[in-house]
mmCIF file of all heavy atoms in Angstrom:
data_model
loop_
_atom_site.group_PDB
_atom_site.id
_atom_site.type_symbol
_atom_site.label_atom_id
_atom_site.label_comp_id
_atom_site.label_asym_id
_atom_site.label_seq_id
_atom_site.Cartn_x
_atom_site.Cartn_y
_atom_site.Cartn_z
ATOM 1 N N TYR A 1 5.557 0.108 4.305
ATOM 2 C CA TYR A 1 6.279 -1.115 4.554
ATOM 3 C C TYR A 1 5.656 -2.193 3.597
ATOM 4 O O TYR A 1 4.802 -1.904 2.849
ATOM 5 C CB TYR A 1 6.227 -1.497 6.032
ATOM 6 C CG TYR A 1 7.029 -0.628 6.905
ATOM 7 C CD1 TYR A 1 6.485 0.251 7.762
ATOM 8 C CD2 TYR A 1 8.485 -0.711 6.864
ATOM 9 C CE1 TYR A 1 7.266 1.105 8.636
ATOM 10 C CE2 TYR A 1 9.222 0.166 7.643
ATOM 11 C CZ TYR A 1 8.680 1.025 8.517
ATOM 12 O OH TYR A 1 9.413 1.929 9.291
ATOM 13 N N GLU A 2 6.045 -3.437 3.828
ATOM 14 C CA GLU A 2 5.536 -4.562 3.015
ATOM 15 C C GLU A 2 4.001 -4.627 3.062
ATOM 16 O O GLU A 2 3.371 -4.954 1.987
ATOM 17 C CB GLU A 2 6.085 -5.837 3.310
ATOM 18 C CG GLU A 2 7.701 -6.009 3.095
ATOM 19 C CD GLU A 2 8.477 -5.266 4.193
ATOM 20 O OE1 GLU A 2 7.892 -4.774 5.174
ATOM 21 O OE2 GLU A 2 9.706 -5.246 4.133
ATOM 22 N N ARG A 3 3.424 -4.336 4.168
ATOM 23 C CA ARG A 3 2.038 -4.528 4.306
ATOM 24 C C ARG A 3 1.198 -3.303 3.867
ATOM 25 O O ARG A 3 0.001 -3.317 3.984
ATOM 26 C CB ARG A 3 1.632 -4.886 5.709
ATOM 27 C CG ARG A 3 2.115 -3.808 6.768
ATOM 28 C CD ARG A 3 1.931 -4.375 8.152
ATOM 29 N NE ARG A 3 0.550 -4.650 8.536
ATOM 30 C CZ ARG A 3 0.216 -5.068 9.727
ATOM 31 N NH1 ARG A 3 1.086 -5.413 10.710
ATOM 32 N NH2 ARG A 3 -1.099 -5.322 9.981
ATOM 33 N N GLY A 4 1.890 -2.261 3.368
ATOM 34 C CA GLY A 4 1.228 -1.069 2.922
ATOM 35 C C GLY A 4 1.538 0.129 3.709
ATOM 36 O O GLY A 4 2.531 0.156 4.489
ATOM 37 N N PRO A 5 0.723 1.222 3.532
ATOM 38 C CA PRO A 5 1.029 2.537 4.251
ATOM 39 C C PRO A 5 0.890 2.289 5.776
ATOM 40 O O PRO A 5 -0.032 1.545 6.233
ATOM 41 C CB PRO A 5 0.055 3.493 3.698
ATOM 42 C CG PRO A 5 -1.090 2.587 3.091
ATOM 43 C CD PRO A 5 -0.362 1.299 2.601
ATOM 44 N N LEU A 6 1.715 3.034 6.513
ATOM 45 C CA LEU A 6 1.646 2.806 7.957
ATOM 46 C C LEU A 6 0.429 3.327 8.681
ATOM 47 O O LEU A 6 -0.203 2.742 9.569
ATOM 48 C CB LEU A 6 2.909 3.379 8.540
ATOM 49 C CG LEU A 6 3.231 3.205 9.977
ATOM 50 C CD1 LEU A 6 3.169 1.680 10.376
ATOM 51 C CD2 LEU A 6 4.670 3.832 10.355
ATOM 52 N N TRP A 7 0.004 4.546 8.150
ATOM 53 C CA TRP A 7 -1.158 5.201 8.833
ATOM 54 C C TRP A 7 -2.306 5.277 7.847
ATOM 55 O O TRP A 7 -2.129 5.513 6.667
ATOM 56 C CB TRP A 7 -0.739 6.537 9.288
ATOM 57 C CG TRP A 7 0.366 6.473 10.282
ATOM 58 C CD1 TRP A 7 0.373 5.821 11.524
ATOM 59 C CD2 TRP A 7 1.720 6.932 10.151
ATOM 60 N NE1 TRP A 7 1.620 5.850 12.126
ATOM 61 C CE2 TRP A 7 2.430 6.594 11.335
ATOM 62 C CE3 TRP A 7 2.394 7.683 9.136
ATOM 63 C CZ2 TRP A 7 3.813 6.897 11.559
ATOM 64 C CZ3 TRP A 7 3.765 7.974 9.333
ATOM 65 C CH2 TRP A 7 4.395 7.605 10.575
ATOM 66 N N THR A 8 -3.541 5.207 8.382
ATOM 67 C CA THR A 8 -4.746 5.220 7.553
ATOM 68 C C THR A 8 -4.879 6.619 6.837
ATOM 69 O O THR A 8 -5.448 6.667 5.754
ATOM 70 C CB THR A 8 -5.983 4.959 8.370
ATOM 71 O OG1 THR A 8 -6.019 5.807 9.458
ATOM 72 C CG2 THR A 8 -6.043 3.527 8.896
ATOM 73 N N LYS A 9 -4.386 7.662 7.499
ATOM 74 C CA LYS A 9 -4.454 9.001 7.041
ATOM 75 C C LYS A 9 -3.069 9.635 7.163
ATOM 76 O O LYS A 9 -2.439 9.493 8.220
ATOM 77 C CB LYS A 9 -5.463 9.862 7.786
ATOM 78 C CG LYS A 9 -5.638 11.289 7.308
ATOM 79 C CD LYS A 9 -6.693 12.000 7.985
ATOM 80 C CE LYS A 9 -6.850 13.439 7.543
ATOM 81 N NZ LYS A 9 -7.848 14.154 8.350
ATOM 82 N N PRO A 10 -2.522 10.226 6.068
ATOM 83 C CA PRO A 10 -1.199 10.894 6.152
ATOM 84 C C PRO A 10 -1.178 11.872 7.290
ATOM 85 O O PRO A 10 -2.255 12.530 7.634
ATOM 86 C CB PRO A 10 -0.951 11.525 4.758
ATOM 87 C CG PRO A 10 -1.865 10.732 3.857
ATOM 88 C CD PRO A 10 -3.092 10.300 4.667
ATOM 89 N N LEU A 11 -0.060 12.136 7.869
ATOM 90 C CA LEU A 11 0.141 13.022 8.999
ATOM 91 C C LEU A 11 0.532 14.434 8.507
ATOM 92 O O LEU A 11 1.476 14.494 7.694
ATOM 93 C CB LEU A 11 1.142 12.478 10.007
ATOM 94 C CG LEU A 11 0.914 11.092 10.562
ATOM 95 C CD1 LEU A 11 2.047 10.669 11.442
ATOM 96 C CD2 LEU A 11 -0.430 11.110 11.345
ATOM 97 N N SER A 12 -0.097 15.443 8.977
ATOM 98 C CA SER A 12 0.342 16.881 8.728
ATOM 99 C C SER A 12 0.192 17.638 10.085
ATOM 100 O O SER A 12 -0.800 17.587 10.759
ATOM 101 C CB SER A 12 -0.629 17.526 7.694
ATOM 102 O OG SER A 12 -0.497 16.890 6.417
ATOM 103 N N PHE A 13 1.337 18.252 10.387
ATOM 104 C CA PHE A 13 1.323 19.159 11.611
ATOM 105 C C PHE A 13 2.562 20.103 11.546
ATOM 106 O O PHE A 13 3.517 19.842 10.805
ATOM 107 C CB PHE A 13 1.302 18.328 12.910
ATOM 108 C CG PHE A 13 2.376 17.249 12.975
ATOM 109 C CD1 PHE A 13 3.734 17.541 13.272
ATOM 110 C CD2 PHE A 13 2.039 15.937 12.703
ATOM 111 C CE1 PHE A 13 4.723 16.565 13.290
ATOM 112 C CE2 PHE A 13 3.036 14.883 12.771
ATOM 113 C CZ PHE A 13 4.319 15.243 13.039
ATOM 114 N N THR A 14 2.477 21.126 12.325
ATOM 115 C CA THR A 14 3.632 22.015 12.583
ATOM 116 C C THR A 14 3.842 22.102 14.036
ATOM 117 O O THR A 14 2.862 22.547 14.779
ATOM 118 C CB THR A 14 3.377 23.460 11.974
ATOM 119 O OG1 THR A 14 3.191 23.278 10.579
ATOM 120 C CG2 THR A 14 4.596 24.338 12.239
ATOM 121 N N TRP A 15 4.996 21.694 14.570
ATOM 122 C CA TRP A 15 5.267 21.762 15.953
ATOM 123 C C TRP A 15 6.509 22.769 16.133
ATOM 124 O O TRP A 15 7.541 22.504 15.513
ATOM 125 C CB TRP A 15 5.637 20.367 16.487
ATOM 126 C CG TRP A 15 4.489 19.468 16.592
ATOM 127 C CD1 TRP A 15 3.226 19.757 16.611
ATOM 128 C CD2 TRP A 15 4.562 18.023 16.576
ATOM 129 N NE1 TRP A 15 2.426 18.641 16.671
ATOM 130 C CE2 TRP A 15 3.230 17.551 16.682
ATOM 131 C CE3 TRP A 15 5.577 17.115 16.556
ATOM 132 C CZ2 TRP A 15 2.938 16.157 16.704
ATOM 133 C CZ3 TRP A 15 5.315 15.701 16.614
ATOM 134 C CH2 TRP A 15 3.931 15.324 16.717
ATOM 135 N N ALA A 16 6.335 23.684 16.971
ATOM 136 C CA ALA A 16 7.392 24.679 17.263
ATOM 137 C C ALA A 16 7.727 24.693 18.738
ATOM 138 O O ALA A 16 6.717 24.670 19.618
ATOM 139 C CB ALA A 16 7.042 26.066 16.719
ATOM 140 N N ALA A 17 8.971 24.859 19.095
ATOM 141 C CA ALA A 17 9.345 25.018 20.487
ATOM 142 C C ALA A 17 8.802 26.443 20.997
ATOM 143 O O ALA A 17 8.803 27.375 20.241
ATOM 144 C CB ALA A 17 10.824 24.951 20.692
ATOM 145 N N PRO A 18 8.397 26.441 22.304
ATOM 146 C CA PRO A 18 8.334 25.393 23.245
ATOM 147 C C PRO A 18 7.051 24.591 23.090
ATOM 148 O O PRO A 18 5.993 25.175 23.009
ATOM 149 C CB PRO A 18 8.380 26.130 24.607
ATOM 150 C CG PRO A 18 7.719 27.416 24.336
ATOM 151 C CD PRO A 18 8.074 27.757 22.932
ATOM 152 N N ARG A 19 7.152 23.265 23.017
ATOM 153 C CA ARG A 19 6.018 22.399 22.903
ATOM 154 C C ARG A 19 6.476 21.054 23.421
ATOM 155 O O ARG A 19 7.590 20.607 23.180
ATOM 156 C CB ARG A 19 5.466 22.375 21.456
ATOM 157 C CG ARG A 19 4.143 21.916 21.354
ATOM 158 C CD ARG A 19 3.568 22.365 19.972
ATOM 159 N NE ARG A 19 2.183 21.901 19.765
ATOM 160 C CZ ARG A 19 1.468 22.141 18.686
ATOM 161 N NH1 ARG A 19 2.047 22.901 17.722
ATOM 162 N NH2 ARG A 19 0.160 21.696 18.496
ATOM 163 N N ALA A 20 5.390 20.244 23.933
ATOM 164 C CA ALA A 20 5.792 18.960 24.429
ATOM 165 C C ALA A 20 4.580 18.016 24.068
ATOM 166 O O ALA A 20 3.453 18.277 24.478
ATOM 167 C CB ALA A 20 5.979 18.945 25.967
ATOM 168 N N ILE A 21 4.876 16.970 23.293
ATOM 169 C CA ILE A 21 3.849 16.071 22.776
ATOM 170 C C ILE A 21 4.210 14.637 23.086
ATOM 171 O O ILE A 21 5.359 14.269 22.805
ATOM 172 C CB ILE A 21 3.724 16.271 21.247
ATOM 173 C CG1 ILE A 21 3.288 17.694 20.967
ATOM 174 C CG2 ILE A 21 2.708 15.253 20.733
ATOM 175 C CD1 ILE A 21 4.394 18.398 20.166
ATOM 176 N N ALA A 22 3.277 13.909 23.646
ATOM 177 C CA ALA A 22 3.386 12.478 23.853
ATOM 178 C C ALA A 22 2.848 11.801 22.594
ATOM 179 O O ALA A 22 1.713 12.157 22.193
ATOM 180 C CB ALA A 22 2.704 12.045 25.090
ATOM 181 N N ILE A 23 3.526 10.849 22.088
ATOM 182 C CA ILE A 23 3.024 10.064 20.897
ATOM 183 C C ILE A 23 2.686 8.640 21.383
ATOM 184 O O ILE A 23 3.554 7.957 21.890
ATOM 185 C CB ILE A 23 4.142 10.011 19.805
ATOM 186 C CG1 ILE A 23 4.471 11.479 19.374
ATOM 187 C CG2 ILE A 23 3.656 9.133 18.637
ATOM 188 C CD1 ILE A 23 5.710 11.496 18.519
ATOM 189 N N THR A 24 1.449 8.308 21.349
ATOM 190 C CA THR A 24 0.941 7.081 21.912
ATOM 191 C C THR A 24 0.219 6.242 20.912
ATOM 192 O O THR A 24 0.019 6.661 19.738
ATOM 193 C CB THR A 24 0.015 7.438 23.101
ATOM 194 O OG1 THR A 24 -1.174 8.151 22.561
ATOM 195 C CG2 THR A 24 0.677 8.298 24.151
ATOM 196 N N GLY A 25 -0.189 5.045 21.269
ATOM 197 C CA GLY A 25 -0.856 4.104 20.420
ATOM 198 C C GLY A 25 -0.279 2.731 20.667
ATOM 199 O O GLY A 25 0.758 2.525 21.331
ATOM 200 N N PRO A 26 -1.033 1.710 20.212
ATOM 201 C CA PRO A 26 -0.600 0.297 20.409
ATOM 202 C C PRO A 26 0.796 0.078 19.759
ATOM 203 O O PRO A 26 1.182 0.820 18.869
ATOM 204 C CB PRO A 26 -1.712 -0.434 19.687
ATOM 205 C CG PRO A 26 -2.864 0.443 19.633
ATOM 206 C CD PRO A 26 -2.301 1.821 19.481
ATOM 207 N N ASN A 27 1.401 -1.009 20.205
ATOM 208 C CA ASN A 27 2.654 -1.441 19.553
ATOM 209 C C ASN A 27 2.400 -1.749 18.062
ATOM 210 O O ASN A 27 1.337 -2.315 17.741
ATOM 211 C CB ASN A 27 3.208 -2.673 20.241
ATOM 212 C CG ASN A 27 3.659 -2.431 21.603
ATOM 213 O OD1 ASN A 27 4.107 -1.286 21.953
ATOM 214 N ND2 ASN A 27 3.731 -3.457 22.518
ATOM 215 N N GLY A 28 3.374 -1.356 17.249
ATOM 216 C CA GLY A 28 3.213 -1.622 15.847
ATOM 217 C C GLY A 28 2.480 -0.538 15.057
ATOM 218 O O GLY A 28 2.156 -0.777 13.887
ATOM 219 N N THR A 29 2.209 0.581 15.647
ATOM 220 C CA THR A 29 1.460 1.604 14.917
ATOM 221 C C THR A 29 2.327 2.746 14.496
ATOM 222 O O THR A 29 1.822 3.826 14.052
ATOM 223 C CB THR A 29 0.229 2.174 15.798
ATOM 224 O OG1 THR A 29 0.839 2.557 17.046
ATOM 225 C CG2 THR A 29 -0.789 1.135 15.983
ATOM 226 N N GLY A 30 3.666 2.603 14.567
ATOM 227 C CA GLY A 30 4.554 3.561 13.967
ATOM 228 C C GLY A 30 5.083 4.681 14.870
ATOM 229 O O GLY A 30 5.560 5.641 14.354
ATOM 230 N N LYS A 31 5.077 4.513 16.156
ATOM 231 C CA LYS A 31 5.605 5.551 16.989
ATOM 232 C C LYS A 31 7.099 5.752 16.785
ATOM 233 O O LYS A 31 7.472 6.859 16.605
ATOM 234 C CB LYS A 31 5.360 5.200 18.485
ATOM 235 C CG LYS A 31 3.897 5.112 18.867
ATOM 236 C CD LYS A 31 3.659 4.955 20.348
ATOM 237 C CE LYS A 31 4.177 3.616 20.953
ATOM 238 N NZ LYS A 31 3.443 2.483 20.422
ATOM 239 N N SER A 32 7.825 4.677 16.841
ATOM 240 C CA SER A 32 9.271 4.811 16.542
ATOM 241 C C SER A 32 9.619 5.275 15.093
ATOM 242 O O SER A 32 10.550 6.055 14.903
ATOM 243 C CB SER A 32 10.037 3.464 16.857
ATOM 244 O OG SER A 32 9.956 3.182 18.241
ATOM 245 N N THR A 33 8.845 4.826 14.125
ATOM 246 C CA THR A 33 8.970 5.321 12.755
ATOM 247 C C THR A 33 8.805 6.819 12.670
ATOM 248 O O THR A 33 9.573 7.438 12.036
ATOM 249 C CB THR A 33 8.049 4.572 11.805
ATOM 250 O OG1 THR A 33 8.377 3.099 11.870
ATOM 251 C CG2 THR A 33 8.170 5.071 10.436
ATOM 252 N N LEU A 34 7.753 7.241 13.353
ATOM 253 C CA LEU A 34 7.462 8.664 13.278
ATOM 254 C C LEU A 34 8.639 9.480 13.907
ATOM 255 O O LEU A 34 9.011 10.569 13.409
ATOM 256 C CB LEU A 34 6.135 9.024 14.040
ATOM 257 C CG LEU A 34 5.813 10.563 14.021
ATOM 258 C CD1 LEU A 34 5.712 11.154 12.649
ATOM 259 C CD2 LEU A 34 4.517 10.725 14.797
ATOM 260 N N LEU A 35 9.151 9.021 15.027
ATOM 261 C CA LEU A 35 10.260 9.750 15.610
ATOM 262 C C LEU A 35 11.473 9.727 14.734
ATOM 263 O O LEU A 35 12.163 10.722 14.654
ATOM 264 C CB LEU A 35 10.646 8.993 17.024
ATOM 265 C CG LEU A 35 9.700 9.185 18.150
ATOM 266 C CD1 LEU A 35 10.267 8.543 19.459
ATOM 267 C CD2 LEU A 35 9.360 10.676 18.396
#
């Protein structure tokens, strides 16, 4: 975004069903963007 990259470290993962993950963190840290 305008202020720079959203996360300090790029995200890498593989998620396969069945799996259930909660995405947490303070407001403004990109939870909705990641979704």
Side-chain angles (χ1 to χ4, degrees):
Y1 289 109
E2 293 81 2
R3 59 189 297 180
L6 188 52
W7 302 297
T8 54
K9 183 179 179 181
L11 303 176
S12 295
F13 51 78
T14 299
W15 291 338
R19 200 161 180 179
I21 300 110
I23 300 168
T24 62
N27 289 334
T29 53
K31 296 188 295 295
S32 294
T33 298
L34 180 58
L35 288 186

